[in-house]
Amino acid sequence: KYLSIPYAISEGLIIGCICELLELVLPGMGLRIASLALLVTLSVFVGGAFLYMKGIIKVGQKFKAMSFSIGIIVFSLCFGIMALVSFLTTGVNLYSIYYFSGLGIIGSIIMCIVATLYVIVSFDNATQIVDSGADKDYEWYASYAITLNVIYLFFEILRLILIILSNSSKRK
């Protein structure tokens, strides 16, 4: 928790740099796309918080132990290694083939759903920490986890928007 201020500054710088790079690559559109991703992220966050607080979404052990999230992590690692080997040996960029196809959109939607579920699980963890009367330090860790998951959600939504826009611009 003592590194929270430097961490927050570096997180803001990274997000700012990514948004600025987006503006450099897509002049006049980059900041609009980043703003759209921010609005969608805030909408998902507020909607998830509302549904969780009203008890519409209940987080149980099955919800927390989603095995498909482990499968997604394993798939991402394997795909990353295959893409690197493919690029170094044949020069074929598997990422561009995957991300700019229909599979990329489906994969990105799945990752947005997983990121949303992580945010909801973080809400539940924070609620359990507060309800159990744990030390205030643990509440800080819970808020940190919510922050990390919201940032992850922002990046996934930003990636989905970029994939959708790149596919729609190819069709024109």
Side-chain angles (χ1 to χ4, degrees):
K1 88 179 183 181
Y2 300 107
L3 296 176
S4 62
I5 293 174
Y7 173 77
I9 291 170
S10 63
E11 208 169 67
L13 287 173
I14 289 171
I15 292 173
C17 287
I18 289 173
C19 293
E20 183 59 31
L21 285 173
L22 195 56
E23 181 63 26
L24 288 173
V25 172
L26 301 167
M29 287 294 296
L31 293 179
R32 290 181 188 166
I33 293 169
S35 298
L36 177 62
L38 178 64
L39 287 174
V40 171
T41 302
L42 290 175
S43 299
V44 169
F45 176 79
V46 169
F50 177 78
L51 293 174
Y52 177 76
M53 285 190 263
K54 291 296 182 183
I56 297 170
I57 296 178
K58 299 204 186 293
V59 178
Q61 284 307 105
K62 288 182 182 178
F63 192 90
K64 287 184 180 179
M66 297 174 292
S67 60
F68 70 87
S69 63
I70 294 171
I72 289 172
I73 292 169
V74 170
F75 170 76
S76 296
L77 289 173
C78 291
F79 186 78
I81 292 169
M82 285 181 359
L84 181 63
V85 169
S86 172
F87 184 72
L88 293 176
T89 57
T90 64
V92 175
N93 187 347
L94 290 179
Y95 276 110
S96 64
I97 294 170
Y98 171 74
Y99 282 116
F100 300 118
S101 69
L103 290 175
I105 292 174
I106 292 168
S108 189
I109 289 171
I110 290 171
M111 294 305 289
C112 287
I113 292 169
V114 168
T116 303
L117 295 176
Y118 285 158
V119 170
I120 293 170
V121 168
S122 294
F123 288 148
D124 186 63
N125 289 340
T127 301
Q128 287 180 4
I129 287 171
V130 171
D131 289 348
S132 70
D135 190 34
K136 293 291 182 190
D137 286 341
Y138 293 108
E139 292 176 9
W140 184 88
Y141 291 123
S143 65
Y144 177 74
I146 292 171
T147 303
L148 282 179
N149 288 322
V150 169
I151 291 169
Y152 173 61
L153 177 63
F154 170 76
F155 284 129
E156 290 300 330
I157 289 173
L158 182 63
R159 182 171 69 161
L160 176 63
I161 291 170
L162 289 172
I163 291 170
I164 290 170
L165 287 176
S166 69
N167 282 342
S168 66
S169 67
K170 283 182 185 178
R171 292 183 185 145
K172 290 182 179 180

